[in-house]
Structures are given as C-alpha cells and as structure tokens.
Amino acid sequence: MLSRLSLLSLFAISASALSLNGESRPNIIIIMSDDMGYSDIGCYGGEIKTPNLDKLAANGLRFTQFYNTGRCCPTRASLLTGLYPHQAGIGHMTGDYGLPQYQGFLNQKCVTIAEALKPAGYRSYLSGKWHVTPKIAHDAPKNNWPRQRGFDKFFGTIHGAGSLFDPNSLTRDNTQITPENDPEYKPKGTWYYTDAISDNTVMHLESHFKEHPGKPFFHYVAYTAAHWPMHALPEDIAKYEGKYDEGYKPAYEARLKKMKALGLIDPNWTIPGPIGDWDKVKLKEWESACMEVYAAMVDNMDQGIGRIVATLEKNGQLENTLILFLQDNGGCAEGFGRGKLVGPLERPSAPTLKPMGKDELQTNMVPPQSRDGYPLRRGDGVMPGPPETEIGYGKNWANVSNTPFREYKHWVHEGGIATPLVAHWPKGITLKNKWAKDPSHLIDLMATCLDLGKASYPDGKIPVEGVSLAPTFTGKALERGKPIYFEHEGNRAVRDGEWKLVAKGVNGPWELYNIPADRTEQHDLSKKHPERAQKMAEQYETWAKERGVVPFNSWRKKKDKKTAASQKKVFHLKLGDTFTQENSPDVAKHAFSVIAQLEKLPAQGVIAAQGGTSSGWSFYLKEGQLLFTTRRGGKDFTVQAPLPSDSKGLLEAKVTKKSLILRSDNKRLAIKEGDHQLTSHPIDALEVGKDNGGLVGDYEENFDLNVPLKSLNITIR
C-alpha cells in the first residue's frame, strides 16, 4: 500500500503535468530533411510515398511560402539561433575566413533553441546532423558540440555528409562511436543512418516520458536523407523499381498536375518545364535508378517519422506536441559521384579489402571502402544504393525535385530556398488541412519556440530576428513589419510583401519579381519598376552592413598583400602542423617542391595545402588519384595521375616556371606544361593533412588525410 507521502508525491507530479498542459506549453519537435526539393513529399505534389507526413499535413497546417537559406550549414545556424547565419558566425560554411561573421562555427553572441528553452524547464534532445562546427574529430574541442550548446542527449554526426551505412563523426553525446560498438543502439537488421536517427529519437522520447514526466521537451531531428550519396535499403528501393523509367518529363508534369490540384501553383504562372532531355540520356537504367534510390531514402525517412508519431500517441503526448517538418535547402544539382568511373563497375562477388575493426572510427566523408571490405565504387553506370557506392542523383532530377522553381541548392531563387513546412499540433492548431500563405523563414522558429514555451530570451545576446508563427495556427496574419533577407556565396535576395529582388553571384544584376503573379521567376520586372528595385536594393545593402554581411570572397582583398612570408627555404613538417600567413613558405613567383612519405596506402585526403580559392596550392589524394592543384586569381590548374598499385608512398609534386610534375617513388607519373607558379603570397596559411578555410583543390570541406604521414618536406627553389 502506498504511504500518504507517496500519494502526495504522485499527486504533485500529476499536478505539475496538468499545470504545464494548462499553460498550453507544448512539446516541440522540429524535423528537418537534407537536400530535398519543394515538390518531393506527397502533400506538396510528389509521387514519393510519404503517408505519415501527408497525415500530419491533413490534420494540421501547411505553409506555401516558408524559406530556408539555400545551404546546409547556414540553414542549421539560422534554425538553431533565430538569427541570420552571418550573425551566428556561419556566413558561409564551416571555414574560418578571418571575420566574426564568417568564422565557421556558432559564436557566443547567439543561443540555440535548446539553450533558450532550458531555463523554462524544457529538456532538449538531438538526433542526426549537427554541421555547425569545423571541429569534428573525436579528440577535437567540443565547445560547439550539441551537448555544450544546450542539448541533454545527442546521437548523430558532427560533420555534414557521409555514408548512410557508416557515417563519419558518428557520435553519442560527446563520444565518437561506430555502428558496431554503440552500446545503446543495436538494430536487428542492417544498420542504416536514417533508421538510426528515427530509432534514437524514439529512444530519447521513451526515456524522457519515463524519467522526466511532466516536463516539456524540445527535440531536433536532423535527417541526412536525401543528401548524397544515394544509399538506401533494398526493400525500400524495390518499391520504386521502374517508377522513373520514362524519365524527367512525366515525373515533372505529374507533379505539376498534382500541385495545381492542391492549389500550390497558379495556372497563370509561366512554367519553364523540365531541363533534362531523356532522349539524350545514354545510361537510362542507371539514371532512373538514381531517382529510385532517392525516393527510397525519402520513403524510409517518412517511415521513421511514423514511428516517432506513434511513440507520442502511445504515451498520450501527440495532442500537445507541435511537430514541424521542413527542408534545409532545395534539390541538389551537384554532380557528386557522377562522371569518371572509380573502382569496379560491378560489386565483387566477395570483399576484396580488409574489413574495418569494430572500434575503428570512420573519419572519411567518402570512405575508400565499406566496413566489410568492398572497395569504393562511383561514376556513371555504378548502380546506387549499396554501402560502397557514392553517387548523387544529378541536376536533371534535382530540377524535378524543385518543380516548378528556378535554380537549386546554393542559389536564392525559389528552387534553392523554398521548402515545405508542415505544422501539426492538435491542441494548438485550429485549422486542419489548410494552407498558411504568409512569407516566413527559419528565423521564425526560435521566436515560435520562445512564444509557445513561455521562455525568456537571455540578455546580452543578438536579438532574435524572426516573429512567432503562432498566429497562423489560428488563421491570423503574421505582423512582420520588415523584409526577409538572403545571402549565400554572393547570391542575394530580399522578400518584401509580394515582391522579391534576387541576384546570382556578387556581380549578378538584380532581378525583380512579383511572387503571387510569377513565383517561377520568369518575368523580370526590374526595368518596369526601377524605383521599387532600387529601394529594395538599398534595403539589402542596409541589412548587409548592419549584420556584417560582405561580398563573397571580399575578405581576401582586404588582407594586406604585402604581408611578409617566411624566408626559410626548407621546411621539415609533420601531420597536423599549421602555420600563419607570415611563417608559411614564400611560394609567390618561386619554384618549389613538396615531398611526402605516407606510412601506408591506400589513402585519401589533403597531404598539404596553402592558400584558398583565390591563390594557393594543394597536394592531395582522391579516389585513387594523386593530384596537385595551384590557383591564381581563382583559376585552378591541376595535374593528376592514377597512383600505381605498387607505390611505396613516396610522393612528390614540383612547381616550376615551365611545368607541374608528379612523381611516385622517384618515377614521373604526369606533367602539365606551362607556368603555374603563384603570382602572390596566399592569404590562407599552410596546413599539413588538411585544408580548412578556402578550399584549393577539388574536394569538400574536412577532406583530411586519413593515414599517418612519416614526413613532409617543402623546398623553395
């Protein structure tokens, strides 16, 4: 029999829960997918099976004009902080460009939603992709990892991209793990990252309901689906076999028809149509398979969202949980993994490489092999899906994903920044199966969480830029009072009421569109309404100046070009060495050589790099190739050659006034004639084993060398 004290304790817990419900403070779940287009999910026009998202939409609210920032890192920074990404310190990606707004990690002048809600009594959890710090290694400083930015539990990846069967920087709380040695999550079937994100979200929720009854929670669920590589489970791929065999046009037109029926497309808009010509596609089976696997990735994510919703329902929490679903940018037109064949076209009948150990951390964004020993395979004709493949779905399918909008991820035309936003909250959203049409943005999510969570924003931090979306939940209009702004890689835009001013690149001309009449951005009205275009351009310049936004790459021009370089002629270096601009080798107008001895092969990553996208050089290994790139005035010159299978790891690159030369074990591999010496001293410093900041070579960020380095010598001639 319970004692009187026990009964009183239980009553107090129940009263606490009722008090929270009485205040209408909801639990909050923000779910974000990766690299998906506006029309991909079913409730926004897509043919991909998303019954769980569709059900949330049918019983909630959908936004027609919600915007992200057009790229992964800045979107995450903006979502988490309620600020424009530059204000949070991530004006571009995770490179440090020497300005506070472009330092590449969340600064201390902002707070995350988790940090803001904690004093109001919320517990916070995160499953999935972080990608707001360059410090991703297991022994790196963790001051900007999730646990240090307000989250009570974290499972996911610190880095931004990687295998969905063996992701790099896989982490539980502050400890990096592998799919095989994770003490808490051991699925019965194949370990698959999208499933792992969904299942760990369920684990977090079940733990919360058991250990913290009566406390509200915030959960950020950041999927990497459907970001390349196109990895999916066979049973999910099978659902879409043959679905896209007719090519781009039928898929595009079917989406158009459905979007018109939904009321998302005005019949009077000019529709540009698909860009891809299916008749010119040589590898049709492979091309259609890329979209089949993409669809399977989205399908699996939706299944996981269904399990999350079922967990809320089982625990009696669905009614008072606000669920928001959105995407980090538009469809991705990057040609990742397409083109030249790397590795075998077909999967070998058995693994040909040594399997990775149970505790061997994955540190590569593009692993050279699967954990069980199958070699990397990528390029035209390699069927996507299996763990050792690395393929993207390409520009033409990205155009279908973005139906009917212009451009893609990276740009700030509608195809880059328009995202679905599905809002479901039975207790707080009175509208069902309706559209909210006010323009809104990621900056509004922090404001919404503060409003609904009855939380106070801390003093001394940069004020939140957005407005709460709560009025739309009951059919009221948003009262923003100011435009919404965009900038990424020089691509710029202003959204003010019905009007949008947009430009491509730092020097691209401004274009003006009336969005209700022309959301496909086909009829530029800047010459017809020059006064309006000028006024909005001035609004943009004022906003940019106030928030520290500068023209992309302009930070390089502001550096002192006369900064002295080291006068040393010979440098004996080791892995991890990092120099300043002043003590880096003086390579400007000089011949020089770089000689590296690796401890083992195969290898991948940057051996050494000096400089950035404007001026510099990089010596690196990528997909079995040895490469050396120099950059002058932003233009790159590269010499490359396959690394011999019998190489002993003694690698050399030589830059002269007449040529670029590559050698392995003192044997010439390749030569590129011409004067490729640098004409000015690079602003970015020399780094050994990595290339942070501006990237010199043809690789993504965090392309660190994945093997030990015995020695590295640089000699200035």
Side-chain angles (χ1 to χ4, degrees), residues 60-61 193 208 222 257 338 363 466 578 643 698 706:
L61 190 63
Y193 191 29
H208 177 87
K257 182 178 180 180
R338 302 167 75 87
T363 59
T578 300
L643 192 64
D698 179 22
N706 66 347

Side-chain angles (χ1 to χ4, degrees), residues 592 617 628-631 636-640 652-663 668 670-678:
F592 64 97
W617 61 267
F628 190 90
T629 296
T630 62
R631 283 188 178 270
D636 67 286
F637 305 87
T638 299
V639 60
Q640 69 181 81
E652 179 182 1
K654 189 175 183 180
V655 181
T656 74
K657 199 172 180 66
K658 296 181 179 180
S659 61
L660 289 176
I661 302 169
L662 287 181
R663 292 190 178 94
R668 181 185 290 180
I671 183 169
K672 190 179 184 77
E673 303 292 346
D675 180 8
H676 304 300
Q677 291 182 168
L678 275 66

Side-chain angles (χ1 to χ4, degrees), residues 610-627:
Q610 181 182 355
T613 54
S614 178
S615 174
W617 61 267
S618 180
F619 193 26
Y620 56 106
L621 291 152
K622 181 180 177 183
E623 299 166 0
Q625 301 275 314
L626 181 65
L627 304 96

Side-chain angles (χ1 to χ4, degrees), residues 190-470:
T190 302
W191 194 101
Y192 180 62
Y193 191 29
T194 306
D195 276 338
I197 292 171
S198 302
D199 294 344
N200 275 270
T201 300
V202 169
M203 290 164 58
H204 289 164
L205 295 178
E206 293 285 15
S207 173
H208 177 87
F209 298 142
K210 181 180 179 180
E211 298 174 11
H212 304 282
K215 267 205 166 191
F217 67 81
F218 165 63
H219 205 309
Y220 175 31
V221 185
Y223 288 104
T224 57
H227 193 295
W228 48 251
M230 302 294 102
H231 282 169
L233 298 172
E235 57 267 32
D236 293 325
I237 299 173
K239 298 179 186 179
Y240 297 92
E241 184 176 353
K243 181 72 175 178
Y244 301 98
D245 284 357
E246 299 302 313
Y248 317 116
K249 187 176 180 180
Y252 189 101
E253 291 183 342
R255 291 187 180 201
L256 273 178
K257 182 178 180 180
K258 187 174 179 181
M259 294 174 84
K260 287 178 180 178
L262 289 169
L264 277 171
I265 291 180
D266 189 321
N268 295 318
W269 291 351
T270 300
I271 305 299
I275 64 166
D277 186 343
W278 194 248
D279 291 338
K280 294 181 180 179
V281 175
K282 294 179 180 179
L283 301 174
K284 288 183 171 61
E285 183 182 0
W286 172 71
E287 185 72 0
S288 61
C290 289
M291 189 62 189
E292 289 172 8
V293 177
Y294 178 89
M297 297 170 74
V298 177
D299 187 307
N300 183 277
M301 176 189 68
D302 185 79
Q303 295 172 43
I305 292 171
R307 296 197 295 276
I308 294 168
V309 172
T311 303
L312 294 171
E313 197 164 21
K314 182 185 77 171
N315 287 277
Q317 295 292 322
L318 183 60
E319 289 293 309
N320 199 36
T321 299
L322 171 63
I323 301 173
L324 298 170
F325 171 84
L326 68 153
Q327 299 159 186
D328 69 342
N329 46 247
C332 177
E334 297 163 359
F336 177 85
R338 302 167 75 87
K340 183 179 179 182
L341 182 65
V342 175
L345 180 64
E346 303 288 342
R347 190 182 210 193
S349 58
T352 59
L353 301 172
K354 181 182 178 182
M356 295 177 67
K358 176 182 177 182
D359 299 319
E360 186 176 352
L361 298 177
Q362 180 57 265
T363 59
N364 295 289
M365 185 184 75
V366 179
Q369 66 173 76
S370 62
R371 289 198 78 85
D372 55 358
Y374 286 96
L376 170 69
R377 297 186 296 124
R378 65 190 305 189
D380 291 355
V382 174
M383 287 298 181
E388 76 279 5
T389 61
E390 292 282 336
I391 311 291
Y393 76 157
K395 186 175 183 177
N396 292 341
W397 286 123
N399 175 247
V400 173
S401 284
N402 290 342
T403 302
F405 298 141
R406 276 181 62 185
E407 302 303 338
Y408 313 89
K409 171 184 177 180
H410 294 266
W411 286 273
V412 296
H413 284 75
E414 295 293 287
I417 58 175
T419 170
L421 179 68
V422 176
H424 182 274
W425 178 22
K427 188 171 181 180
I429 296 178
T430 59
L431 306 175
K432 305 298 180 187
N433 199 24
K434 299 293 184 181
W435 297 101
K437 298 183 179 181
D438 287 339
S440 41
H441 187 276
L442 292 161
I443 54 175
D444 301 330
L445 298 184
M446 168 71 88
T448 305
C449 292
L450 293 171
D451 180 12
L452 299 180
K454 294 180 169 53
S456 299
Y457 191 75
D459 294 333
K461 304 295 182 180
I462 301 173
V464 172
E465 289 275 8
V467 299
S468 174
L469 299 176

Side-chain angles (χ1 to χ4, degrees), residues 119-131:
Y122 277 75
R123 297 270 301 175
S124 292
Y125 309 93
L126 167 57
S127 295
K129 173 175 169 177
W130 184 235
H131 207 199

Side-chain angles (χ1 to χ4, degrees), residues 38-103:
Y38 187 78
S39 67
D40 277 329
I41 62 176
C43 52
Y44 276 76
E47 72 292 329
I48 301 173
K49 296 179 176 65
T50 55
N52 294 293
L53 282 171
D54 298 351
K55 185 176 180 181
L56 291 175
N59 291 289
L61 190 63
R62 279 169 284 180
F63 288 67
T64 63
Q65 297 188 83
F66 193 83
Y67 290 112
N68 51 47
T69 71
R71 190 79 178 279
C72 45
C73 289
T75 279
R76 288 157 215 282
S78 193
L79 181 156
L80 284 164
T81 66
L83 306 175
Y84 288 106
H86 312 77
Q87 296 170 291
I90 303 183
H92 181 228
M93 296 287 279
T94 55
D96 188 349
Y97 301 137
L99 296 173
Q101 294 81 9
Y102 298 84
Q103 66 185 21

